C-alpha cells in the first residue's frame, strides 16, 4: 500500500486547526533489527512551525485483541472523525452508516498516531517471514517500542512529550511497552492511558474458586441491573449504585464468600437476599449457587423473564435470548449493533479523505494471532514453573506499570472504564488501584457512561476527550 497524505482543516475543541493526515508504513523489525514486514499507521499532525511542533504532545493509540487493528479507536472521535452511531440503542444495524466530524477531538492538544498491530490493518509481511515472534506479550511490546522510535525519528519529535493509549488487550501492550521503552535505543513515555484496562485480568477473571474475581465484577452487575430496572433501584444514579456495590463487595460480601461452604445457612440466605436486590438475580438462585454467578450467566439470566439477554461489550444493549436447544449460537447484542458501523465507516473514511479506494483489504482482526498468543511473562521467572502452562507460574502484568512509575518519577497513568462493560469492569479497575503500588497522586481514573467502546456514546466522547486533554497537557502548557 502506497503512503498517502492530505492536508485538511477542522475545528477541534472550538479551535480551528490545519493538519496533515498521513498513512505510513513503519518497519516491523525483529529483536536483531531484521525487517520482516511493516506496520500501518495513520497520523494526524498539526501544521505549525517547528517550535510549536516540538512542544506538542504526541499520543500513540492502539486497540487490543490480541491481533486487532486500531480502526475502532481511529473512528472513536478522539481523532477528527468518528463513526456515526445512533443514539437510539434499539435502532439496529441497518444503513446508512458513515462518518462525521468530531468537534471535541483531541487534535487541538496533541498529534495523534493510530498504529495497527502486526498482521493487521494495511501492514505487510515479507515473503517467507514468520510473525510468531510477535504473537507474545513481550515480542508484541518490543515491536511497538521500535515502531514508536521509528516514527519519532522520522518526524523529528524527540523533544515532544510522548503518551501511549491502549484499549483492552492494548492495555497489556501499554504495560509491557512502558518497560520496553526504557531500553538503550527506544524512546521513553511521559504517560500511559488505559481504556478498558485488562492488566490485572489474571486476578479478576471469574474462574472457579477465584473469590476476588467474583467480588470485582459485582459493581458491573449492579450497574447493569440498575440500568434495566432489575436491581439497585433504591439508588438515584448509577454512580450511587456502583459505590454501594463496591462497598458491599469488598466488605460483607467478601467475608461471606471467603467462608465458602462454612457459611451458616441463615447467613447465606441473608447475603443472597441482599445481593439479589443489588444485581437483580433471584435470591433462591444465588443460594443454590452459593452466591456465585458468572458474568456470562448474569447476562443471560438478568432479563430472562422478558425473553432478553444483555450485551457483552455494552450491556445496555439487549437482544432476544438465543435457544441452544435448537442449535442457535450465542451473539453479542452490542457487537452486532456497533461492529458493522465501524467497519463501514473506516472504508468510507479512506475513500472520502484520500479520494480513493485502498486496493488491498484492511484487516481488522488477525484470528491467527489470538489463537497462537503466548501469555508468558519473564517477570514471573522468580516463581516456580513446571511445564507450560504451569499452575505455579504467575503473570504479574501490573508490576510492569508500578515498575515504570518508579523508573519515571514524573510518569502519569490514566484509567478509563465503561460502566456497562462486562469484559473489563469498573470493579477490576478499582481492584488494580487497591492492590498494586501505583502512586495515586500520579493516577487519574474515570468512569464513563457506555460499554467497552465507551466512545460510541456521543456525549461520552466529549467527556473522554476533555479528560484526555487534561492528561496529555498536564505539566506542558
Amino acid at each position: 500500500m502506497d503512503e498517502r497524505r492530505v492536508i485538511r482543516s477542522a475545528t477541534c475543541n472550538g479551535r480551528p486547526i490545519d493538519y496533515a493526515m498521513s498513512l505510513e508504513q513503519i518497519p516491523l523489525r525483529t529483536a536483531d533489527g531484521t525487517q520482516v514486514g511493516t506496520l500501518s499507521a495513520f497520523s494526524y499532525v498539526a501544521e505549525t512551525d517547528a517550535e510549536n511542533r516540538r512542544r506538542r504532545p504526541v499520543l500513540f493509540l492502539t486497540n487490543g485483541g490480541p491481533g486487532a487493528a486500531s480502526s475502532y479507536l481511529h473512528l472513536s472521535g478522539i481523532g477528527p472523525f468518528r463513526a456515526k452511531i445512533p443514539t437510539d440503542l434499539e435502532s439496529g444495524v441497518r444503513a446508512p452508516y458513515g462518518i462525521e466530524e468530531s468537534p471535541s477531538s483531541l487534535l487541538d492538544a496533541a498529534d495523534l498516531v493510530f498504529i495497527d498491530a502486526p498482521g493487521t490493518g494495511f501492514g505487510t509481511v515479507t515473503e517467507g517471514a514468520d510473525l510468531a515472534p510477535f504473537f507474545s506479550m513481550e515480542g508484541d511490546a518490543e515491536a511497538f517500542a521500535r515502531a514508536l522510535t521509528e516514527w519519532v525519528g522520522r518526524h523529528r519529535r524527540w523533544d515532544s512529550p510522548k503518551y501511549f493509549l491502549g484499549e483492552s488487550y492494548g492495555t497489556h501492550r501499554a504495560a509491557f511497552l512502558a518497560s520496553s521503552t526504557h531500553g538503550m535505543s527506544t524512546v521513553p513515555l511521559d504517560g500511559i492511558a488505559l481504556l478498558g484496562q485488562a492488566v490485572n485480568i489474571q486476578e479478576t477473571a471469574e474462574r472457579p474458586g477465584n473469590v476476588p474475581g467474583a467480588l470485582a465484577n459485582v459493581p458491573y452487575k449492579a450497574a447493569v441491573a440498575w440500568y434495566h430496572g432489575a436491581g439497585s433501584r433504591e439508588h438515584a444514579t448509577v454512580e450511587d449504585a456502583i459505590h454501594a456495590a463496591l462497598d458491599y463487595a469488598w466488605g460483607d460480601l467478601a467475608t461471606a464468600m471467603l467462608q465458602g461452604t462454612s457459611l451458616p445457612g441463615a447467613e447465606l440466605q441473608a447475603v443472597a437476599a441482599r445481593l439479589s436486590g443489588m444485581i437483580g438475580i433471584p435470591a433462591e438462585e444465588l443460594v443454590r449457587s452459593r452466591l456465585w454467578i458468572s458474568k456470562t450467566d448474569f447476562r443471560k439470566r438478568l432479563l430472562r423473564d422478558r425473553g432478553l439477554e444483555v450485551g457483552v461489550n455494552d450491556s445496555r444493549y439487549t437482544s432476544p435470548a438465543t435457544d441452544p436447544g435448537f442449535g442457535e449460537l450465542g451473539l453479542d447484542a452490542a457487537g452486532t449493533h456497533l461492529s458493522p458501523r465501524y467497519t463501514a465507516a473506516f472504508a468510507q473514511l479512506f475513500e472520502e479523505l484520500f479520494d480513493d479506494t485502498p486496493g488491498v483489504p484492511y484487516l481488522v482482526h488477525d484470528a491467527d494471532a489470538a489463537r497462537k498468543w503466548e501469555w508468558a511473562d519473564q517477570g514471573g521467572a522468580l516463581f516456580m514453573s513446571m511445564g507450560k502452562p504451569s499452575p505455579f507460574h504467575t503473570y504479574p502484568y501490573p508490576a510492569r506499570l508500578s515498575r515504570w512509575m518508579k523508573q519515571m518519577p514524573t510518569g502519569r497513568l490514566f484509567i478509563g472504564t465503561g460502566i456497562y462493560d462486562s469484559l473489563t469492569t469498573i470493579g477490576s479497575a478499582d481492584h488494580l488501584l487497591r492492590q498494586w503500588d501505583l502512586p495515586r497522586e500520579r493516577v487519574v481514573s474515570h468512569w464513563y457512561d457506555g460499554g467497552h467502546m465507551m466512545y460510541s456514546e456521543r456525549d461520552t466522547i466529549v467527556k473522554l476527550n476533555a479528560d484526555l486533554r487534561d492528561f496529555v497537557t498536564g505539566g506542558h502548557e
Side-chain angles (χ1 to χ4, degrees):
M1 154 88 27
D2 295 332
E3 295 186 5
R4 315 290 177 92
R5 186 174 188 268
V6 295
I7 305 296
R8 292 184 60 89
S9 299
T11 300
C12 303
N13 193 35
R15 297 169 57 184
I17 185 169
D18 296 328
Y19 65 91
M21 176 186 178
S22 303
L23 166 60
E24 305 177 63
Q25 297 291 342
I26 299 177
L28 175 62
R29 303 185 189 277
T30 59
D32 64 3
T34 303
Q35 182 171 340
V36 294
T38 63
L39 302 174
S40 58
F42 283 85
S43 306
Y44 295 87
V45 177
E47 292 282 282
T48 185
D49 61 67
E51 181 58 25
N52 282 330
R53 185 175 295 112
R54 184 188 68 81
R55 291 198 303 263
R56 274 176 65 85
V58 180
L59 176 62
F60 299 92
L61 307 95
T62 73
N63 276 104
S70 64
S71 52
Y72 286 89
L73 276 174
H74 194 161
L75 272 300
S76 66
I78 294 174
F81 302 96
R82 69 185 302 271
K84 286 185 178 178
I85 307 297
T87 55
D88 178 9
L89 301 186
E90 306 300 323
S91 64
V93 73
R94 64 185 180 274
Y97 305 128
I99 58 174
E100 59 189 7
E101 292 189 349
S102 175
S104 69
S105 170
L106 202 60
L107 188 56
D108 69 294
D111 293 329
L112 308 171
V113 186
F114 299 88
I115 304 180
D116 297 315
T120 72
F122 290 126
T124 63
V125 181
T126 303
E127 185 175 357
D130 181 14
L131 292 187
F134 304 105
F135 295 164
S136 69
M137 307 290 287
E138 292 170 329
D140 172 86
E142 288 169 4
F144 268 86
R146 289 187 286 273
L148 266 60
T149 302
E150 177 85 22
W151 191 94
V152 167
R154 183 182 293 183
H155 293 265
R156 301 180 180 180
R157 301 298 294 271
W158 295 102
D159 289 337
S160 297
K162 299 165 193 70
Y163 295 84
F164 185 87
L165 183 154
E167 180 183 22
S168 198
Y169 174 78
T171 64
H172 288 102
R173 178 178 294 135
F176 276 70
L177 185 67
S179 299
S180 298
T181 55
H182 281 269
M184 295 292 288
S185 59
T186 52
V187 295
L189 297 170
D190 294 86
I192 295 285
L194 311 177
L195 290 189
Q197 81 80 27
V199 182
N200 62 344
I201 197 167
Q202 74 280 15
E203 301 167 341
T204 57
E206 287 185 328
R207 58 182 179 271
N210 184 28
V211 174
L215 299 171
N217 294 309
V218 170
Y220 151 76
K221 296 166 186 172
V224 176
W226 181 92
Y227 180 85
H228 291 289
S232 292
R233 297 312 298 162
E234 70 274 22
H235 301 291
T237 68
V238 68
E239 289 81 10
D240 290 343
I242 292 168
H243 284 297
L246 283 169
D247 290 344
Y248 185 53
W250 301 128
D252 292 346
L253 184 59
T255 300
M257 293 197 72
L258 286 169
Q259 293 183 61
T261 57
S262 298
L263 184 67
E267 290 186 34
L268 174 61
Q269 295 278 351
V271 173
R274 184 173 177 187
L275 184 60
S276 173
M278 185 171 286
I279 68 172
I281 302 298
E284 59 272 19
E285 295 184 22
L286 295 173
V287 169
R288 285 196 298 270
S289 63
R290 290 188 293 115
L291 308 177
W292 289 83
I293 177 168
S294 71
K295 290 180 291 185
T296 299
D297 286 344
F298 170 80
R299 292 193 304 267
K300 292 181 179 298
R301 291 159 60 181
L302 178 67
L303 304 180
R304 185 167 51 189
D305 60 341
R306 307 180 201 176
L308 301 172
E309 52 191 64
V310 302
V312 179
N313 285 281
D314 187 334
S315 294
R316 296 174 304 165
Y317 288 87
T318 63
S319 62
T322 54
D323 189 342
F326 282 89
E328 292 182 350
L329 300 178
L331 54 82
D332 175 19
T336 56
H337 279 72
L338 296 175
S339 292
R341 294 190 178 278
Y342 284 95
T343 299
F346 190 84
Q348 290 170 281
L349 173 80
F350 196 95
E351 184 172 353
E352 291 183 24
L353 267 62
F354 292 116
D355 193 28
D356 193 5
T357 55
V360 295
Y362 180 91
L363 186 62
V364 176
H365 187 246
D366 180 5
D368 200 41
R371 284 192 298 267
K372 296 180 179 179
W373 204 259
E374 173 57 65
W375 293 89
D377 171 11
Q378 291 301 314
L382 296 178
F383 291 79
M384 184 187 299
S385 181
M386 297 178 179
K388 293 184 177 181
S390 164
F392 302 102
H393 200 62
T394 185
Y395 298 90
Y397 305 145
R400 297 277 182 153
L401 289 174
S402 59
R403 173 188 169 193
W404 168 71
M405 296 192 83
K406 290 175 181 176
Q407 287 179 314
M408 193 78 168
T410 58
R412 292 174 298 123
L413 180 66
F414 178 104
I415 303 173
T417 312
I419 288 172
Y420 305 105
D421 175 13
S422 82
L423 298 174
T424 55
T425 67
I426 42 185
S428 293
D430 180 78
H431 183 274
L432 179 72
L433 294 176
R434 288 174 184 260
Q435 298 299 327
W436 289 87
D437 187 16
L438 303 172
R440 295 300 287 270
E441 71 277 7
R442 289 189 278 137
V443 179
V444 291
S445 182
H446 299 280
W447 299 339
Y448 296 102
D449 193 33
H452 197 58
M453 298 178 287
M454 70 282 290
Y455 43 76
S456 66
E457 190 69 38
R458 198 172 271 122
D459 291 338
T460 296
I461 189 57
V462 175
K463 183 178 187 304
L464 174 61
N465 280 336
D467 293 336
L468 286 172
R469 184 175 290 105
D470 288 343
F471 181 68
V472 300
T473 58
H476 300 296
E477 290 187 309

